[in-house]
Amino acid sequence: MKTKSNRRKFLRNIGITASAITLAANQLKSVKAKNIYNWKMVTTWPKNFPGLGTGAEIFANTITEASNGRLNVTVFGAGEIVPAFEAMDAVSSGAIEMGHGGPYYWKGKVAAAQYLSAIPFGLTPQEQNSWFEKGGGQEIADKIYKKMGCKFFVCGNTGPQMGGWFNKEIKSIKDFKGLKMRIPGLGGEVIKAAGGTVVNLHGGELLTSIQSGAIDALEWVGPYNDLAFGIHKTAKYYYYPGWHEPGGVLDCFINIDKWNSLPKDLQKIVETSAKATTQRITNEMIAGNNLALETLVKKHKIKLKPFPENVLKELANLSNIVIKKLIGSDKLSKEVYNSIMNFREKSIMRSQVSEQKFL
């Protein structure tokens, strides 16, 4: 009888232990499930477009891998879920967790955003990255993007851009009068001041627009991306330098509530991944531009032309007039512009005795 009683007690204890293990395992699974985040990222770029679209993929994959699958990010190109220029609306509303694009695309929502992309005759890519990290740029950018319900990170840089593709020669500032040109941001405002008409187009519309005559000229990025779109097949002249974007900042914007819902370690992974992606995109753009420019000149025999000095001086004067007028009516724009220009003043002093002299 004693043996049977001990056996029953032993089996009962095994049953209790097994139940406890099962319960603990289920609880662990439940906790793990709660800590896994599956996010979507919409972009303003065609899917896997060189440098820009692929950069978004690199960013997403870096986050997913670094978090060991706790934060899984899936990328959707322009038009797959929402049109390119509706990416911010989707993220601001919380319908989508995050996006990738360019700050000047959001100037219609918060005017100060466009200064984060580039200022005509402004900072180089290295100077831009330094301003964001060491010059107070991150704090100002967060203030701007908070107005759109988002958290901001730099997530790439195009490097110095080209001046654009034209179907007529630019010999004086008067040649911009009546010109229909695709050029975004503050550069577009300067072209308007020069008498041109600015047409706002995303990347997927560029080639057909210049082929059809809907526009006379366009600025996109640089040789790497321009060659991929085949713009050289329809435009006669390729001008430099990119006075309007000496460096083009790309942005990662995250719905602020979604961002705040992440634990601190995942937030740090996103931040670190954005910095790593910025460097990788910049590296890819420089290497890609080197090879693409050689192909455009040697294989396709494009007509590479510099803007005349007098044209650049006139564009610089117009830039100062246009920007001073814009910031005069917007306190936040004035804050970001003044911060960048103060940083630029110190950068010029240094660059005159370093890169500029060396080159």
Side-chain angles (χ1 to χ4, degrees):
M1 289 292 291
K2 188 174 182 180
T3 303
K4 288 181 180 178
S5 175
N6 288 339
R7 186 183 300 145
R8 289 194 196 98
K9 189 181 293 182
F10 175 71
L11 292 173
R12 185 170 65 250
N13 287 341
I14 289 176
I16 291 170
T17 302
S19 296
I21 291 171
T22 302
L23 180 61
N26 288 336
Q27 287 176 336
L28 184 60
K29 286 180 182 178
S30 176
V31 169
K32 284 184 176 180
K34 288 179 181 177
N35 286 337
I36 293 175
Y37 301 82
N38 294 303
W39 281 14
K40 297 182 181 70
M41 178 164 69
V42 291
T43 78
T44 59
W45 327 113
K47 184 76 170 178
N48 288 320
F49 186 68
L52 308 178
T54 55
E57 294 285 352
I58 288 169
F59 181 43
N61 292 338
T62 302
I63 293 171
T64 301
E65 291 171 16
S67 68
N68 198 27
R70 287 175 57 213
L71 176 52
N72 299 298
V73 181
T74 304
V75 179
F76 296 88
E80 287 192 297
I81 296 181
V82 295
F85 295 145
E86 292 180 21
M88 179 58 77
D89 290 330
V91 176
S92 293
S93 69
I96 302 293
E97 289 82 8
M98 63 195 301
H100 188 260
Y104 48 35
Y105 291 148
W106 323 127
K107 70 175 186 177
K109 301 180 183 301
V110 181
Q114 62 191 317
Y115 298 86
L116 301 176
S117 280
I119 290 176
F121 304 95
L123 302 178
T124 66
Q126 298 96 317
E127 291 164 353
Q128 285 174 320
N129 289 338
S130 183
W131 173 73
F132 276 108
E133 189 160 336
K134 297 295 184 180
Q138 180 67 50
E139 292 75 15
I140 295 175
D142 278 335
K143 187 188 298 187
I144 292 169
Y145 275 63
K146 189 175 182 180
K147 289 181 173 291
M148 296 182 280
C150 291
K151 168 68 177 171
F152 168 91
F153 288 109
V154 178
C155 195
N157 197 301
T158 65
Q161 298 200 8
M162 292 292 284
W165 296 88
F166 295 77
N167 277 323
K168 73 172 186 178
E169 289 189 78
I170 303 297
K171 296 178 180 179
S172 76
I173 196 71
K174 293 178 181 178
D175 290 319
F176 285 102
K177 191 170 184 179
L179 191 79
K180 292 178 292 184
M181 185 175 183
R182 183 273 176 191
I183 178 170
L186 292 165
E189 297 300 323
V190 176
I191 294 300
K192 286 180 188 176
T197 300
V198 173
V199 182
N200 195 16
L201 302 169
H202 63 76
E205 300 173 316
L206 299 181
L207 188 58
T208 54
S209 295
I210 199 164
Q211 283 175 332
S212 68
I215 56 175
D216 307 308
L218 68 87
E219 174 282 328
W220 179 228
V221 181
Y224 186 36
N225 298 125
D226 297 358
L227 177 62
F229 271 144
I231 301 170
H232 60 281
K233 298 174 184 177
T234 58
K236 292 180 181 179
Y237 306 106
Y238 200 21
Y239 273 91
Y240 67 91
W243 56 272
H244 60 295
E245 285 188 63
V249 170
L250 308 179
D251 63 351
C252 161
F253 44 101
I254 304 171
N255 177 274
I256 195 69
D257 292 330
K258 303 292 185 181
W259 169 254
N260 290 334
S261 74
L262 290 180
K264 295 295 183 184
D265 63 324
L266 290 184
Q267 288 184 345
K268 181 57 70 173
I269 284 173
V270 173
E271 178 186 350
T272 305
S273 296
K275 289 181 179 179
T277 302
T278 295
Q279 190 61 57
R280 288 188 65 179
I281 291 176
T282 305
N283 293 346
E284 182 177 347
M285 296 300 288
I286 291 172
N289 282 330
N290 292 346
L291 294 174
L293 184 60
E294 184 179 36
T295 299
L296 287 168
V297 172
K298 292 185 177 180
K299 181 179 178 180
H300 299 294
K301 310 298 181 186
I302 63 151
K303 295 177 181 177
L304 192 62
K305 295 180 73 69
F307 285 117
E309 284 296 317
N310 65 299
V311 171
L312 289 173
K313 288 179 180 178
E314 289 286 352
L315 289 170
N317 289 334
L318 281 175
S319 296
N320 288 331
I321 294 168
V322 166
I323 292 174
K324 284 180 179 177
K325 184 177 180 181
L326 289 172
I327 66 172
S329 58
D330 185 68
K331 185 178 179 181
L332 193 51
S333 292
K334 187 174 183 178
E335 180 183 356
V336 63
Y337 176 75
N338 285 343
S339 177
I340 290 171
M341 296 309 285
N342 287 336
F343 196 88
R344 177 181 180 270
E345 185 177 347
K346 296 177 179 63
S347 297
I348 288 174
M349 183 182 297
R350 180 202 56 82
S351 64
Q352 286 175 338
V353 299
S354 52
E355 289 97 340
Q356 184 177 334
K357 190 64 177 175
F358 171 76
L359 291 170

